[in-house]
Amino acid sequence: MSTATAAKIDSGARPSRRRRNVRRLVRGVMLIAAVLLLLSASNESSPAVVVPALSPLTAIASLLTTRTLHAVTWIGLSVAAVALIRRRWFCRWVCPTGTCADCAAMLGKRLHRRAARLPRLGQWIALLTLGGAALGYPMLLWLDPLALFSGLFGVFHAEATPAIAWCATGMAAILAMSLIWPGAWCARICPLGALHDLLSRLARRVRFAFARRSEHSGEKPAGRLSRRIVLGALAGALWATVARRVRGAAARPLRPPGAVDEARFVGLCIRCGNCLRACPTHIIRPDQGERGIAGLMTPVLDFSHDYCTEGCTRCTHVCPSGALVPLEPEAKQRTSIGLPHVDMNVCLLGDDRDCSMCRNWCPYGAIKLVWSEEEYTLTPQVDLDKCPGCGACETVCPTTPQKAIVIRPAPRGRQDREPLPLLHRHAHTGTVHQ
């Protein structure tokens, strides 16, 4: 080989090597930035929402489900717009999950592991999710890789429990899969990468249509809409119809303030754990499947140790999918988390003992003690026009192990208190009469 030929080969190899090094550097910086953002979730005005909001899958599913364009949705839509021009650019340069999966894959190759010939499930997951989102239930949105990466940081929650540790299982599964079958997650399973491919294919079709119209195209047509795309979207829509009816009949747990209706919530929630880490009083915990597998790892409220403070709306501002609608403190006071129920068989007043803890600690002045001729004792009465269901009364109630006053989910369709007529409570049973 001549010196000139060797020099030409070397000069052609250097840019490729340089590009790989630059990409590794950029991916490393992006990974560190994502970690720092997610670790800041417990801080007020935290930008942790940015990481899961970068997903076009989450943004499009949120837009289809809620029919609302939230400010955070623009982040994912911007990434989708670039994906129309540059295929899988996000996967190659930005995605922190992909970076971790590639590191595991490199280790797997050193251990002489080979890629498995798995079916391309990512496209089906994306289509089922978006098809379901069109009818209000994006059932597989929680498989978004940025949501799984964000869920990993649930282990840093101040009130770490075995249930919190489950938040990391998704990311652990991706790393294990990439180690055993290098490249399997990114190439075959990841719904976000598959969506990037679909967007790129759509852009090619549009470019070809315009180029053909002007008769300057040398490209081959991208072909008709794939049958599997139609089938996937229709299957997702059918699944959403059935799931919404089933979830509509299910009991609604206590959700954080601003939660959309239960049938949409379990689909929209991506289980990223941002709300858990953002809550300053640590009253949000992951559902461990007490009310069915569909709600597994979704956020529920627990007032056993603290309550939802009056001016705090952090959880609503770190939700990237629209499962929690962003609220300001004034709007939060008009949104009912739940309804207080009093059991006079447990209440100390019903046993002729002095207690006024619930009245004294209510931050909204919604509880008063009135004389009941029927019970011949003082009984707590709640003004539901003032009470947002913050849980302060349940937290301070001194009875154990059962609380005399507890917050239960509001009836379906009655989370917003503004249009409600005044409700009166029969104190000794806790039932509500209109």
Side-chain angles (χ1 to χ4, degrees):
M1 181 184 297
S2 65
T3 305
T5 304
K8 185 176 180 179
I9 293 175
D10 288 342
S11 63
R14 283 181 192 136
S16 177
R17 189 181 303 116
R18 188 181 303 118
R19 181 180 177 83
R20 287 197 299 269
N21 291 336
V22 169
R23 188 167 73 178
R24 287 171 182 168
L25 176 61
V26 172
R27 296 183 79 183
V29 171
M30 291 298 173
L31 176 60
I32 295 173
V35 170
L36 293 177
L37 286 172
L38 291 171
L39 288 176
S40 71
S42 59
N43 300 329
E44 192 170 0
S45 302
S46 169
V49 67
V50 172
V51 178
L54 283 169
S55 168
L57 182 62
T58 297
I60 297 173
S62 173
L63 184 60
L64 290 174
T65 303
T66 65
R67 308 294 195 271
T68 304
L69 190 59
H70 300 291
V72 72
T73 309
W74 283 106
I75 301 175
L77 294 180
S78 301
V79 175
V82 181
L84 293 171
I85 305 170
R86 299 285 295 179
R87 178 177 173 271
R88 286 216 180 210
W89 73 274
F90 184 83
C91 306
R92 296 188 177 100
W93 292 90
V94 180
C95 182
T97 308
T99 301
C100 295
D102 283 349
C103 291
M106 290 175 60
L107 178 59
K109 290 177 181 178
R110 290 188 178 185
L111 297 175
H112 307 291
R113 301 296 308 180
R114 294 183 179 181
R117 293 184 178 180
L118 301 176
R120 293 186 179 274
L121 299 177
Q123 180 174 287
W124 287 104
I125 295 173
L127 291 172
L128 285 169
T129 300
L130 295 180
L135 292 184
Y137 191 82
M139 73 289 295
L140 297 177
L141 189 57
W142 55 273
L143 283 175
D144 184 278
L146 296 182
L148 296 175
F149 182 79
S150 301
L152 172 66
F153 290 82
V155 297
F156 298 103
H157 192 265
E159 300 292 332
T161 63
I164 293 291
W166 275 100
C167 296
T169 55
M171 192 63 193
I174 292 176
L175 296 179
M177 180 186 302
S178 300
L179 178 66
I180 298 172
W181 301 305
W185 168 260
C186 293
R188 301 287 177 173
I189 310 297
C190 178
L192 182 55
L195 179 62
H196 276 248
D197 289 338
L198 292 172
L199 292 173
S200 178
R201 188 184 308 173
L202 174 63
R204 281 186 56 200
R205 288 177 57 85
V206 173
R207 287 199 303 268
F208 174 77
F210 279 102
R212 186 178 182 183
R213 185 172 298 178
S214 59
E215 297 183 355
H216 292 296
S217 173
E219 295 184 61
K220 293 182 179 181
R224 295 184 178 181
L225 192 63
S226 171
R227 183 182 300 175
R228 71 178 60 181
I229 295 178
V230 177
L231 290 176
L234 289 177
L238 178 61
W239 191 349
T241 302
V242 175
R244 288 204 66 179
R245 290 188 177 183
V246 173
R247 290 304 304 172
R252 175 182 176 268
L254 276 177
R255 298 295 187 191
V260 298
D261 63 88
E262 184 66 12
R264 288 188 299 164
F265 185 89
V266 293
L268 267 179
C269 177
I270 60 175
R271 284 76 165 168
C272 65
N274 273 359
C275 56
L276 277 70
R277 299 190 299 275
C279 181
T281 55
H282 308 297
I283 61 172
I284 305 178
R285 63 170 180 83
D287 190 333
Q288 301 180 55
E290 295 98 331
R291 295 169 183 83
I293 192 68
L296 184 65
M297 305 311 296
T298 55
V300 294
L301 298 182
D302 181 3
F303 294 133
S304 58
H305 298 96
D306 216 327
Y307 74 103
C308 187
T309 55
E310 305 91 295
C312 179
T313 57
R314 290 188 193 179
C315 60
T316 70
H317 291 286
V318 296
C319 178
S321 66
L324 300 179
V325 179
L327 296 174
E328 297 304 322
E330 297 78 12
K332 176 186 172 182
Q333 295 181 18
R334 301 191 300 270
T335 303
S336 179
I337 298 173
L339 299 176
H341 288 244
V342 181
D343 186 349
M344 289 305 297
N345 294 320
V346 179
C347 182
L348 297 180
L349 293 174
D351 196 28
D352 292 329
R353 299 168 64 184
D354 290 335
C355 183
S356 57
M357 295 287 286
C358 57
R359 181 197 64 183
N360 295 344
W361 281 88
C362 178
Y364 299 95
I367 301 177
K368 61 181 180 180
L369 302 181
V370 298
W371 179 262
S372 171
E373 291 292 342
E374 181 180 351
E375 297 291 336
Y376 208 71
T377 184
L378 289 174
T379 58
Q381 287 193 356
V382 183
D383 184 349
L384 297 185
D385 274 354
K386 296 180 180 179
C387 174
C390 70
C393 54
E394 180 177 340
T395 301
V396 301
C397 181
T399 62
T400 57
Q402 181 182 349
K403 297 284 188 176
I405 183 168
V406 296
I407 307 298
R408 295 177 183 171
R412 197 184 319 157
R414 290 192 168 183
Q415 282 74 49
D416 191 343
R417 296 189 302 109
E418 268 195 321
L420 290 184
L422 180 63
L423 301 179
H424 304 282
R425 181 173 308 285
H426 193 271
H428 74 281
T429 62
T431 55
V432 177
H433 302 281
Q434 189 169 331

